Amino acid sequence: MIDVVIAGAGPNGLMLACELALAGVRPVVLERLTGPTTEQRANGLVGQVVRVLDRRGLYERLVQADGPPTPAEGFIFGAFPLDLRGVPKNDVFTVMVPQRRIEAMLTGRAAELGVEILRDHEVVGLEQGEKSVVVHIMGREPIEAAYLVGADGGRSAVRKLAGIGFPGVTTDTSVWLSGHVSVPDGMVAQDGGLIIEGYGKVPPFQHTRTDHGVITWAPGQVPMLNTAEWDRTDKPEASLGELAASASRVVGVPVTLGPPAGPGPHLMRRLEGGNTRLAERYREGRVLLLGDAAHVHSAIGGPGLNLGLQDAVNLGWKLAAAVLGKAREGLLDTYESERRPAAARVTMHTQAQSVLIGPGAEVTALRELFGELMTMPSTRKHIADLMAGTDVVYDMGPAEGPLVGRLAPDFPGLRELTRPGRPLLIDPAGNLTPGPFAGRVDTVGAGEGAGAAPAGMLVRPDGYVAWQGDTTDGLQEALSYWFGRP
């Protein structure tokens, strides 16, 4: 019997497979597609997930450079520039790479860890028992596993087969066009902005709103242009001519676009409307949901992989403990209690941003007021935490402290200590001991790399602080709460 079957070989499913393999569990990934997709999807990573990847040694692989990530000096929110300079404890990290590159990196890492990925395997049914779930695959023999995880996207077959509801809202008033393009010489400013005669400059990598829609310009080796319009009665096909016409309507003057240069694949896509949905629950018996199978929302601000990949890191060690018989009763349910509120925050702020970029004089008035709020340092800090995902603090049971429930703060040596994915007892003062949990938790003293730590703390495999203190008060309770019986 397989330990865990993961349906879906996207970034979230691959990340979960890597986490399970690190913990000593044997996952098998099933993917209905015969090969990696060339479709342009997410354009990068935003938020504290970049730090999470760095602590697994994956950030350097992705950017192909040495050293830890540094926070961004600016970002966007609802087509407003978000100035992050001077924001205390700025956790808005960005990595601008296409999703297919992220998938390729995670596929390579999964192969190193011995993960089996089976393509052309489409899940079409499941049967749950007391100790296992049988997964039915189109045209192939069923597979029995201890658990099944649906990481198979917003139209998740696993979610539907498990009978988990997916309530939310669907909008059909917007039309988004995206495409790789070229522009005449002289239209690209020194800072990368797009100069449109008769309108002005469209800043790079920002949503620019007008009363007629939104335009976004991404310079680079193969530049990309995006537009959004509302309340269109026609149903245009995605084409270079339609994208140029849409951009012209948004800015109010003609926009000249040419076909993209160089080898493809090149993007030309049309999206109509959108969905904001959140699964009623993340678990049904031995079936769990991950990533877009559990939540879908607007892509504005790029929060999707920040949310989904952290789902995977949160679920990985808990599911491994359940498979290996080391989990206390109820541990696996903390996956939903911790990650579903994080998804609710993302669905909330993406809906709010969608309102802020909409057309009309009343939205312009709202933006004028919101723009005043964005000049306030407290507002910029609040929005930064919202976009990074650091505003969600986990309930750590009996433990208390300013670090508890948050991602462990950076200190020299932590990146290397967290790469194996093991629980850590950080002991800079030499006062702490895991006692009977010594076989499950690695104790790190000042001589092993914890000398610069801000405090003594128990760090879960997902990097979150489960206990904080300079004495052993409450430590055994926290160890039992998260790591079962010794």
Side-chain angles (χ1 to χ4, degrees), residues 29-53:
V29 180
L30 307 181
E31 172 55 57
R32 66 177 182 83
L33 299 178
T34 57
T37 180
T38 58
E39 181 183 346
Q40 182 79 12
R41 294 181 178 175
N43 293 313
L45 301 169
V46 177
Q48 65 177 355
V49 70
V50 177
R51 283 202 299 164
V52 172
L53 291 179

Side-chain angles (χ1 to χ4, degrees), residues 311-355:
D311 286 351
V313 177
N314 185 289
L315 176 59
W317 68 275
K318 297 173 182 177
L319 186 54
V323 169
L324 298 173
K326 298 179 180 179
R328 67 164 174 85
E329 185 176 354
L331 176 67
L332 202 49
D333 292 327
T334 65
Y335 165 58
E336 177 179 329
S337 65
E338 291 180 350
R339 294 307 299 164
R340 196 171 185 276
R345 294 290 287 171
V346 169
T347 57
M348 176 275 291
H349 77 66
T350 53
Q351 285 180 301
Q353 290 188 75
S354 296
V355 172

Side-chain angles (χ1 to χ4, degrees), residues 402-424:
L403 302 179
V404 171
R406 303 178 184 275
L407 198 66
D410 288 324
F411 61 85
L414 183 63
R415 300 170 68 227
E416 290 73 23
L417 292 171
T418 52
R419 292 189 175 179
R422 294 267 300 169
L424 297 174

Side-chain angles (χ1 to χ4, degrees), residues 213-303:
V214 173
I215 185 170
T216 309
W217 165 250
Q221 187 174 2
V222 184
M224 184 160 60
L225 191 75
N226 304 271
T227 65
E229 297 178 87
W230 280 260
D231 299 319
R232 293 192 60 174
T233 57
D234 58 338
K235 306 294 182 183
E237 294 296 325
S239 68
L240 183 63
E242 179 55 36
L243 180 58
S246 176
S248 300
R249 288 190 294 268
V250 170
V251 299
V253 297
V255 177
T256 302
L257 301 177
H266 293 137
L267 173 70
M268 184 58 66
R269 181 175 63 191
R270 173 186 177 275
L271 297 175
E272 183 177 341
N275 282 295
T276 300
R277 298 186 178 276
L278 184 58
E280 289 179 338
R281 55 194 182 280
Y282 279 22
R283 179 185 180 189
E284 179 62 35
R286 291 182 171 269
V287 178
L288 298 108
L289 302 180
L290 175 68
D292 288 355
H295 40 70
V296 295
H297 48 80
S298 168
I300 189 169

Side-chain angles (χ1 to χ4, degrees), residues 88-453:
K89 200 179 179 300
N90 173 17
D91 286 306
V92 181
F93 297 86
T94 59
V95 177
M96 306 313 291
V97 295
Q99 179 171 321
R100 60 179 179 270
R101 185 165 147 194
I102 299 171
E103 289 184 6
M105 181 273 291
L106 289 172
T107 298
R109 177 56 174 158
E112 292 173 5
L113 294 170
V115 174
E116 187 176 13
I117 301 173
L118 302 177
R119 294 192 172 273
D120 194 20
H121 281 60
E122 182 177 356
V123 175
V124 294
L126 63 88
E127 299 174 48
Q128 291 208 57
E130 184 179 346
K131 295 184 178 180
S132 67
V133 55
V134 177
V135 184
H136 294 273
I137 305 162
M138 182 177 292
R140 302 180 185 274
E141 291 296 314
I143 296 177
E144 186 178 13
Y147 290 91
L148 168 65
V149 179
D152 49 345
R155 296 183 175 89
S156 171
V158 171
R159 184 188 64 241
K160 296 171 184 175
L161 291 166
I164 299 175
F166 204 39
V169 296
T170 298
T171 58
D172 57 4
T173 60
S174 62
V175 175
W176 295 76
L177 293 171
S178 303
H180 286 125
V181 300
S182 63
V183 295
D185 293 340
M187 281 188 68
V188 180
Q190 189 172 0
D191 65 357
L194 181 66
I195 300 172
I196 301 175
E197 186 177 355
Y199 171 79
K201 185 169 68 175
V202 176
F205 305 112
Q206 293 186 21
H207 295 91
T208 298
R209 176 200 175 266
T210 73
D211 280 339
H212 307 290
V214 173
I215 185 170
T216 309
W217 165 250
Q221 187 174 2
V222 184
M224 184 160 60
L225 191 75
N226 304 271
T227 65
E229 297 178 87
W230 280 260
D231 299 319
R232 293 192 60 174
T233 57
D234 58 338
K235 306 294 182 183
E237 294 296 325
S239 68
L240 183 63
E242 179 55 36
L243 180 58
S246 176
S248 300
R249 288 190 294 268
V250 170
V251 299
V253 297
V255 177
T256 302
L257 301 177
H266 293 137
L267 173 70
M268 184 58 66
R269 181 175 63 191
R270 173 186 177 275
L271 297 175
E272 183 177 341
N275 282 295
T276 300
R277 298 186 178 276
L278 184 58
E280 289 179 338
R281 55 194 182 280
Y282 279 22
R283 179 185 180 189
E284 179 62 35
R286 291 182 171 269
V287 178
L288 298 108
L289 302 180
L290 175 68
D292 288 355
H295 40 70
V296 295
H297 48 80
S298 168
I300 189 169
L305 287 177
N306 187 20
L307 184 60
L309 290 173
Q310 287 198 81
D311 286 351
V313 177
N314 185 289
L315 176 59
W317 68 275
K318 297 173 182 177
L319 186 54
V323 169
L324 298 173
K326 298 179 180 179
R328 67 164 174 85
E329 185 176 354
L331 176 67
L332 202 49
D333 292 327
T334 65
Y335 165 58
E336 177 179 329
S337 65
E338 291 180 350
R339 294 307 299 164
R340 196 171 185 276
R345 294 290 287 171
V346 169
T347 57
M348 176 275 291
H349 77 66
T350 53
Q351 285 180 301
Q353 290 188 75
S354 296
V355 172
L356 285 169
I357 67 172
E362 68 277 16
V363 175
T364 300
L366 174 63
R367 290 182 61 83
E368 183 177 352
L369 174 60
F370 199 85
E372 295 174 6
L373 298 176
M374 289 285 280
T375 65
M376 300 177 181
S378 59
T379 302
R380 297 203 308 275
K381 170 62 175 172
H382 185 87
I383 298 296
D385 289 346
L386 183 68
M387 297 305 293
T390 53
D391 63 330
V392 176
V393 180
Y394 296 159
D395 179 2
M396 291 293 177
E400 297 180 355
L403 302 179
V404 171
R406 303 178 184 275
L407 198 66
D410 288 324
F411 61 85
L414 183 63
R415 300 170 68 227
E416 290 73 23
L417 292 171
T418 52
R419 292 189 175 179
R422 294 267 300 169
L424 297 174
L425 181 60
I426 305 297
D427 183 22
N431 299 327
L432 307 176
T433 174
F437 288 89
R440 296 192 186 178
V441 177
D442 295 339
T443 302
V444 184
E448 294 85 21

